[in-house]
Amino acid sequence: MTKEESFYIGYITKTKGLKGELQLFFEFEEYEELDFDVLFLEVNGKMVPFFVSSYKLYENKTGLFYFDDVDDIDKASPLVKKKAYLPLSQKPERDLNEFYYTDLKGFIAIDETLGELGEIIEVNEYPQQFVATVNYQNKEILFPLNEDFIVEIDDQENILTLDLPEGLLDVYLNP
């Protein structure tokens, strides 16, 4: 299994108890629909399979997992902060008209005032909003993705047109 053959679902946040239970925070929106027979964790750049012996999902985008052969805290601790993936074949189908902010990764961001900002290299979900990351003038800048700032999403040309508040990027450009 390679990263290209899988999709990211979240990461291990912490251990729980002494018997190897791990908490997973889901960054994948429809995590309740996923099948958890085996999870792939990125360990030293490799996708390592971990067979799930049991799990319980929670409303707060987390789940508690027990893996086969991870039966104590000493075996579980090295897995904390590891990214979790599932095979692409297990990714739920979406309606063609469904669009998520995370789909904007790879789009070119264009501000109506500043012009082209660059390619969106990452979209992260935070408790209050989604935030896009772009390399602009050799600096990594972040800006919120919300309806107030988005003018147009052209999913044919992969262009996101924005009207960012004046001075928002000054925080990054003039520290």
Side-chain angles (χ1 to χ4, degrees):
M1 169 77 62
T2 65
K3 227 189 232 191
E4 292 73 33
E5 299 169 323
S6 61
F7 67 100
Y8 175 69
I9 61 166
Y11 61 95
I12 305 292
T13 55
K14 63 182 180 178
T15 61
K16 185 170 191 285
L18 301 173
K19 298 188 180 198
E21 192 172 24
L22 291 157
Q23 180 177 320
L24 179 75
F25 177 76
F26 292 101
E27 294 190 283
F28 187 79
E29 210 53 44
E30 299 111 17
Y31 66 95
E32 305 93 346
E33 298 176 26
L34 300 174
D35 184 18
F36 298 111
D37 291 341
V38 61
L39 288 180
F40 290 83
L41 300 184
E42 187 176 3
V43 180
N44 298 326
K46 292 187 172 33
M47 302 299 273
V48 179
F50 285 86
F51 294 92
V52 177
S53 55
S54 68
Y55 67 92
K56 183 170 176 151
L57 302 179
Y58 296 95
E59 293 285 322
N60 64 351
K61 297 184 80 170
T62 63
L64 292 174
F65 286 79
Y66 281 108
F67 297 136
D68 293 350
D69 302 324
V70 179
D71 51 10
D72 66 46
I73 193 165
D74 293 332
K75 293 178 183 173
S77 292
L79 302 177
V80 173
K81 296 187 179 168
K82 301 295 184 214
K83 292 181 177 179
Y85 297 83
L86 285 174
L88 279 174
S89 61
Q90 292 182 325
K91 193 168 187 177
E93 294 278 326
R94 288 198 314 207
D95 291 339
L96 290 175
N97 59 354
E98 283 187 275
F99 190 85
Y100 298 106
Y101 283 134
T102 52
D103 294 336
L104 293 172
K105 187 174 177 179
F107 275 52
I108 300 298
I110 299 175
D111 181 67
E112 289 188 323
T113 307
L114 298 171
E116 186 173 318
L117 301 176
E119 181 181 341
I120 297 174
I121 55 175
E122 197 62 58
V123 175
N124 292 305
E125 181 180 4
Y126 293 102
Q128 304 301 323
Q129 65 194 349
F130 284 87
V131 175
T133 305
V134 173
N135 279 326
Y136 178 67
Q137 296 182 359
N138 297 321
K139 293 190 166 107
E140 195 172 83
I141 61 165
L142 306 171
F143 56 86
L145 292 170
N146 68 42
E147 294 171 7
D148 297 335
F149 303 151
I150 295 174
V151 176
E152 179 185 11
I153 298 172
D154 182 344
D155 56 352
Q156 301 297 317
E157 299 290 325
N158 286 359
I159 294 174
L160 171 66
T161 306
L162 302 154
D163 185 14
L164 296 175
E166 188 176 327
L168 178 70
L169 300 186
D170 291 345
V171 173
Y172 300 101
L173 303 176
N174 307 315

